[in-house]
């Protein structure tokens, strides 16, 4: 809720306080493009995304030409990579933003930008970084999703590790993908702060020699909260506290959104859509996000916002033929289960 009302700025402050060094993008792009530029500008770390380009027709009168990450010659809206010194090791971190942004979300929010997986461009960036920067490690920070990361790792050479997101998979071990010139480690670390992925790497003679990976579960009730972060969160939520803490009902069973097909919170949402809109059928996108509500726990407006709050939250009723419904469901199945991600 507060992310929606502050247009993402609350999370920028939290990332700065947490000390996030590097990030790439996904839902950030569903704010207006000028808000994205403003938020990235306020972020104290570095925002990298090699696959976000400025449309050719927009380059002639680009509104964000003075943004530091913009590269007019290559048409990139943001920096493609950054170099970090970690434990005496030179690490290149390349960004890969969510490739399907204008397909999954309204194009009108980012009319001047194009996205896409762009394997060819990724290979060019990795090759150039290897040649010009001479790093000991090349890491990709990706929001492709696990399946797309696995395929990209098989096609693009020269990447040591891909730390991925989007599909919220809590992977207990990285997948080792072989490609034309070596191997790439691919992993995801869940969502909603439920896990912390920790990879220790041994680097000798400019190459990755060995690694140890742990997917650490985060038991928030056993950890002492950071005082500065508690103060920050309390301050951000203060203007919306009454609205967020409004109690709506009590959960009779565990409420979650996790499965590809359905979850109990999905069912509550779909039932509500049918009742309020007087509809025979209700369709909800299978978002796998939000925090869980336990049996006996009060369901607050905060919980509802947590599950439903996007920047284009219209719901509507329309008449559809059976053929149209079948096409939609076939298309969704093709997205989920096509052997080629």
């Amino acid at each position: 809720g507060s992310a929606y009302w502050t247009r993402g700025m609350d999370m920028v402050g939290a990332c700065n306080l947490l000390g996030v060094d590097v990030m790439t993008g996904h839902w950030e792009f569903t704010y207006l493009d000028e808000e994205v530029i403003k938020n990235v500008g306020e972020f104290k770390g570095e925002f990298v995304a090699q696959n976000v380009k400025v449309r050719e027709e927009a380059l002639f009168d680009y509104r964000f030409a003075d943004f530091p990450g913009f590269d007019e010659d290559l048409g990139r809206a943001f920096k493609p990579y950054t170099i970090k010194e970690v434990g005496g090791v030179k690490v290149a971190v390349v960004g890969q933003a969510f490739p399907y942004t204008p397909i999954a979300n309204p194009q009108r929010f980012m009319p001047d930008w194009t996205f896409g997986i762009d394997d060819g461009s990724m290979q060019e960036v990795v090759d150039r970084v290897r040649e010009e920067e001479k790093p000991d490690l090349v890491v990709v920070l990706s929001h492709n999703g696990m399946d797309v990361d696995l395929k990209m790792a098989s096609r693009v050479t020269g990447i040591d590790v891909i730390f991925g997101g989007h599909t919220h998979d809590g992977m207990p071990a990285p997948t080792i993908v072989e490609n034309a010139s070596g191997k790439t480690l691919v992993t995801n670390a869940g969502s909603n702060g439920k896990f912390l992925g920790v990879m220790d790497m041994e680097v000798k003679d400019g190459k990755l020699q060995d690694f140890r990976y742990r997917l650490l579960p985060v038991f928030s009730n056993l950890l002492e909260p950071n005082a500065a972060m508690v103060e920050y969160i309390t301050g951000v939520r203060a203007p919306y506290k009454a609205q967020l803490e409004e109690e709506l009902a009590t959960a009779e069973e565990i409420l979650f959104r996790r499965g590809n097909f359905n979850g109990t919170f999905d069912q509550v949402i779909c039932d509500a859509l049918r009742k309020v809109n007087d509809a025979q059928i209700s369709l909800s996108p299978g978002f796998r996000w939000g925090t869980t509500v336990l049996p006996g726990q009060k369901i607050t407006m905060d919980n509802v916002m947590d599950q439903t709050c996007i920047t284009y939250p219209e719901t509507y009723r329309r008449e559809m033929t059976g053929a149209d419904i079948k096409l939609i469901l076939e298309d969704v199945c093709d997205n989920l289960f096509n052997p080629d991600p």
Side-chain angles (χ1 to χ4, degrees):
S2 64
Y4 177 67
W5 292 316
T6 65
R7 308 303 290 170
M9 193 55 77
D10 66 336
M11 295 307 298
V12 177
C15 285
N16 288 342
L17 197 55
L18 189 61
V20 175
D21 294 308
V22 192
M23 69 173 290
T24 192
H26 177 210
W27 282 97
E28 291 78 11
F29 292 110
T30 67
Y31 298 105
L32 301 175
D33 49 10
E34 61 261 30
E35 293 171 329
V36 175
I37 293 292
K38 180 184 176 186
N39 287 351
V40 171
E42 292 290 326
F43 175 49
K44 291 179 181 175
E46 295 183 81
F47 187 94
V48 289
Q50 73 85 22
N51 60 326
V52 182
K53 310 279 178 64
V54 180
R55 294 181 181 278
E56 281 190 32
E57 59 271 25
L59 279 170
F60 293 105
D61 190 24
Y62 186 50
R63 291 175 296 144
F64 312 113
D66 58 347
F67 180 72
F70 171 56
D71 185 330
E72 185 175 12
D73 295 333
L74 296 175
R76 283 199 173 92
F78 302 94
K79 282 199 313 185
Y81 71 92
T82 185
I83 300 293
K84 294 287 180 185
E85 191 86 13
V86 184
V89 173
K90 192 176 184 180
V91 183
V93 183
V94 184
Q96 175 80 356
F98 179 51
Y100 302 123
T101 294
I103 300 168
N105 313 108
Q107 174 78 56
R108 66 182 183 274
F109 294 150
M110 41 359 232
D112 294 343
W113 297 333
T114 67
F115 294 77
I117 298 169
D118 216 346
D119 285 340
S121 173
M122 175 63 81
Q123 187 68 71
E124 288 173 15
V125 170
V126 172
D127 290 347
R128 181 158 59 86
V129 166
R130 288 271 184 199
E131 184 178 339
E132 295 177 5
E133 306 282 1
K134 302 289 191 293
D136 301 303
L137 278 175
V138 174
V139 170
V140 169
L141 205 59
S142 165
H143 212 94
N144 279 338
M146 189 72 183
D147 290 337
V148 178
D149 279 340
L150 290 170
K151 181 162 183 179
M152 188 171 74
S154 73
R155 294 169 58 126
V156 178
T157 61
I159 300 170
D160 293 300
V161 187
I162 298 176
F163 293 121
H166 185 62
T167 42
H168 300 180
D169 301 291
M171 304 303 295
T175 303
I176 302 172
V177 180
E178 296 192 11
N179 50 52
S181 72
K183 296 176 181 177
T184 299
L185 306 172
V186 180
T187 187
N188 262 227
S191 74
N192 295 83
K194 294 170 188 171
F195 299 98
L196 183 67
V198 181
M199 186 177 287
D200 298 304
M201 289 172 269
E202 183 183 357
V203 179
K204 286 182 182 175
D205 304 321
K207 286 190 175 179
L208 177 63
Q209 305 291 341
D210 199 4
F211 72 93
R212 179 172 294 143
Y213 180 79
R214 288 156 295 174
L215 186 67
L216 300 180
V218 177
F219 297 107
S220 58
N221 58 327
L222 301 180
L223 296 171
E224 184 179 342
N226 177 274
M229 187 65 86
V230 169
E231 183 181 357
Y232 174 76
I233 292 171
T234 302
V236 166
R237 289 170 61 89
Y240 320 109
K241 188 174 187 293
Q243 193 171 352
L244 290 170
E245 293 182 359
E246 180 189 356
E247 294 180 358
L248 307 173
T250 302
E252 294 178 353
E253 59 182 304
I254 190 166
L255 296 179
F256 66 92
R257 295 183 85 180
R258 180 66 185 101
N260 279 334
F261 299 105
N262 202 4
T264 49
F265 222 126
D266 285 295
Q267 194 62 54
V268 171
I269 292 164
C270 286
D271 288 348
L273 286 169
R274 286 182 60 216
K275 183 163 186 175
V276 172
N277 290 334
D278 189 26
Q280 292 171 291
I281 294 175
S282 175
L283 300 174
S284 169
F287 290 137
R288 303 194 296 175
W289 66 8
T291 44
T292 300
V293 181
L294 300 176
Q297 189 177 330
K298 294 292 184 184
I299 306 168
T300 64
M301 179 56 81
D302 199 4
N303 297 131
V304 174
M305 297 292 275
D306 188 24
Q307 300 287 348
T308 61
C309 191
I310 57 177
T311 53
Y312 47 103
E314 299 89 353
T315 58
Y316 47 87
R317 185 182 77 165
R318 57 179 285 197
E319 289 191 2
M320 300 178 74
T321 65
D324 284 343
I325 293 170
K326 182 173 183 290
L327 277 174
I328 289 171
L329 296 178
E330 290 281 5
D331 188 49
V332 170
C333 288
D334 188 48
N335 283 338
L336 283 173
F337 306 113
N338 194 306
D340 184 346

